[in-house]
Amino acid sequence: MFSLGKILVAAAAALMPAVLPAQGLDVTAEWRARTEAAGPADTLGCDTAGLAPEPAWPLNVRQRLDRLAASPMFETSQVGLMVYDLTADSVLYSLNERQRLRPASTMKLLTAIAAIDRLGGSYLFRTSLRYTGEVNGGTLSGDVYLVGGFDPHFNSDDMSAFVEAVRDMGVDTIRGRIVADRSMKDADRYGEGWCWDDDNPVLSPLLVSKRDRFAERFLSKLRDAGVVVEADTAAGRVPAEAYEVCTRTHTLDQVLMPMMKESDNLCAEAMFYQLGASTGAHPATARRSREVVRQLISKVGLSPADYRIADGSGLSLYNYVSAELEVRLLRYAYRNSNVYSHLMPSLPVAGEDGTLARRMRGTLAAGNVRAKTGSVAAVSSLAGYCTAANGHVLCFAIINQGVRRGSEGRAFQDSVCAALCRP
């Protein structure tokens, strides 16, 4: 049972949002003290309708978020939070929204939106097989080139198609070199600011089944198919006069789906380096990729100098963004149908799939919230979209930093989403 003192505090708390700023900005020390005194039931955003009626939407939402923001967890950790009402075209709530924090894998939102915007939804990731020389009597006298385009989905079936294409030429013997062309990107195998003990993907533009053993696998497959290979392997760049034998492709959406649903870091970095390549840089570099992301930041009305973009996946400890920036990009995507139509299906759905499959079940956020998750040591984040009970479409960004356990950040984020979706 609630004590009389707690009932009075809760009743006073229910009236507080009426005098808060319109955007639900910083919680005062007095409000924090009163909310904490009311006990865990209120700080977790539980329904207190039996104690005092909630005001109408959106003040009731701001009241709930204020209670959550007054949690004791923020005595030892930070949060950047912003909610934007896309239907009303106005800020619904913001707290520390401009603080620069590490985004973890919500960095993939920046990469995805920049890539769809820059490359277009019909963009293809390509890996090509080419050759120089001549084919006589079933023997290819010349070099075979394996040309990487940083396709993270190239797999054993694609490799079999390469071998079948060689056989279709009538070739049963190769005399020359097997040349791996990795010139699409620079030689950096890992991202700036990645931890040595993380499970980091190898940033090679010539991968098969996500492993950097392309030439060896190609040779093995050729021999399994009965092709005699009298050739050495080498690294080099395909000449302009080389003949194309076979090109395998995967669509932007095929890469985007695991990148966002499952938070696949290799897919994110492959997407990131396509941005650098789109500038005409050969090899593509992280620096040129960052320039494209910065151009988008300028396009949405913020200053790129206020942020630090290190990689495309969020693995780097050097990334620093803000909740405001993520919301600004989510707003841009929502208003741009060419971007939104590709981004929205790729986002995990709360309680249903991807990295949100087990979260928010049993709440009105389940099946409603579509958002990108993020998690690295001491950082937990969530950013995406939901629909409020009044039908308004919202976008939001939540970045928890300095949390001792990721579960603390996830619980806070789930409570925020539940608060946004409740009537």
Side-chain angles (χ1 to χ4, degrees):
M1 295 181 61
F2 287 95
S3 68
L4 177 60
K6 288 188 177 181
I7 293 174
L8 293 174
V9 169
L15 299 176
M16 285 297 293
V19 297
L20 288 174
Q23 296 180 3
L25 295 175
D26 294 333
V27 181
T28 64
E30 180 181 1
W31 169 234
R32 180 184 296 274
R34 289 184 180 184
T35 310
E36 290 176 6
D42 283 332
T43 60
L44 291 175
C46 294
D47 190 0
T48 58
L51 300 178
E54 284 190 332
W57 197 93
L59 291 180
N60 59 348
V61 175
R62 293 175 183 146
Q63 172 183 304
R64 296 167 194 161
L65 298 184
D66 279 331
R67 283 203 297 268
L68 291 169
S71 168
M73 71 182 286
F74 298 119
E75 294 176 2
T76 56
S77 66
Q78 304 83 51
V79 65
L81 168 61
M82 190 171 193
V83 182
Y84 196 89
D85 186 333
L86 293 161
T87 304
D89 196 18
S90 61
V91 174
L92 177 61
Y93 191 90
S94 57
L95 175 66
N96 303 326
E97 73 278 9
R98 293 184 177 175
Q99 287 192 5
R100 286 184 287 270
L101 303 168
R102 295 205 298 268
S105 281
T106 56
M107 189 72 192
K108 293 181 176 72
L109 273 174
L110 279 71
T111 303
I113 294 170
I116 303 167
D117 189 56
R118 174 85 178 203
L119 306 174
S122 60
Y123 185 81
L124 297 175
F125 291 69
R126 300 177 180 272
T127 309
S128 297
L129 176 66
R130 301 184 184 186
Y131 78 96
T132 57
E134 298 180 349
V135 179
N136 288 308
T139 297
L140 169 59
S141 299
D143 296 334
V144 175
Y145 289 86
L146 308 168
V147 187
F150 210 158
D151 181 354
H153 280 335
F154 191 98
N155 58 27
S156 59
D157 290 339
D158 297 305
M159 187 66 81
S160 295
F162 270 18
V163 173
E164 187 64 26
V166 171
R167 296 286 293 163
D168 288 345
M169 292 172 59
V171 172
D172 56 31
T173 303
I174 298 175
R175 291 177 180 156
R177 298 181 304 161
I178 305 297
V179 182
D181 184 347
R182 298 183 178 88
S183 63
M184 177 266 184
K185 72 170 289 291
D186 58 25
D188 293 344
R189 292 172 62 82
Y190 301 103
E192 179 183 350
W194 288 9
C195 291
W196 66 269
D197 56 348
D198 271 349
D199 184 18
N200 298 317
V202 176
L203 302 182
S204 169
L206 196 56
L207 300 170
V208 55
S209 300
K210 300 187 177 183
R211 301 185 66 185
D212 190 19
R213 298 186 58 192
F214 203 103
E216 296 93 323
R217 287 282 298 276
F218 180 62
L219 280 170
S220 177
K221 285 273 192 179
L222 283 172
R223 288 169 175 150
D224 289 346
V227 178
V228 176
V229 182
E230 300 172 359
D232 297 325
T233 58
R237 187 166 176 175
V238 64
E241 67 272 15
Y243 302 104
E244 182 176 334
V245 180
C246 180
T247 295
R248 300 289 287 183
T249 64
H250 288 95
T251 67
L252 181 141
D253 285 334
Q254 285 178 302
V255 176
L256 188 64
M257 289 296 283
M259 168 181 164
M260 304 300 279
K261 289 282 189 186
E262 306 301 333
S263 204
D264 188 293
N265 293 317
L266 179 62
C267 288
E269 294 301 330
M271 193 80 76
F272 186 61
Y273 275 92
Q274 306 304 315
L275 296 177
S278 74
T279 68
H282 196 102
T285 63
R287 181 180 66 83
R288 296 300 291 270
S289 300
R290 293 177 197 127
E291 289 174 3
V292 178
V293 178
R294 290 190 184 106
Q295 288 169 12
L296 179 60
I297 293 173
S298 295
K299 191 174 182 179
V300 300
L302 296 176
S303 172
D306 290 340
Y307 311 100
R308 177 75 186 274
I309 309 299
D311 66 7
S313 62
L315 282 172
S316 177
L317 299 180
Y318 300 163
N319 291 310
Y320 277 94
V321 304
S322 67
E324 179 187 43
L325 172 60
E326 293 190 339
V327 163
R328 199 67 78 89
L329 290 170
L330 289 166
R331 288 171 56 193
Y332 176 79
Y334 182 77
R335 302 299 181 196
N336 187 325
S337 60
N338 292 328
V339 176
Y340 192 70
S341 63
H342 292 276
L343 177 68
M344 192 63 167
S346 75
L347 294 172
V349 181
E352 294 186 6
D353 65 18
T355 54
L356 285 179
R358 298 180 181 274
R359 293 177 58 176
M360 305 181 215
R361 291 178 174 177
T363 73
L364 293 176
N368 182 342
V369 168
R370 294 174 178 262
K372 182 71 197 74
T373 58
S375 180
V376 295
V379 178
S380 180
S381 54
L382 186 71
Y385 302 94
C386 67
T387 301
N390 66 347
H392 283 212
V393 179
L394 312 177
C395 66
F396 62 89
I398 312 164
I399 305 175
N400 291 99
Q401 184 166 289
V403 289
R404 190 164 62 91
R405 292 183 296 271
S407 58
E408 296 174 349
R410 291 190 293 273
F412 174 77
Q413 296 149 22
D414 292 356
S415 295
V416 168
C417 289
L420 294 178
C421 297
R422 281 172 53 201

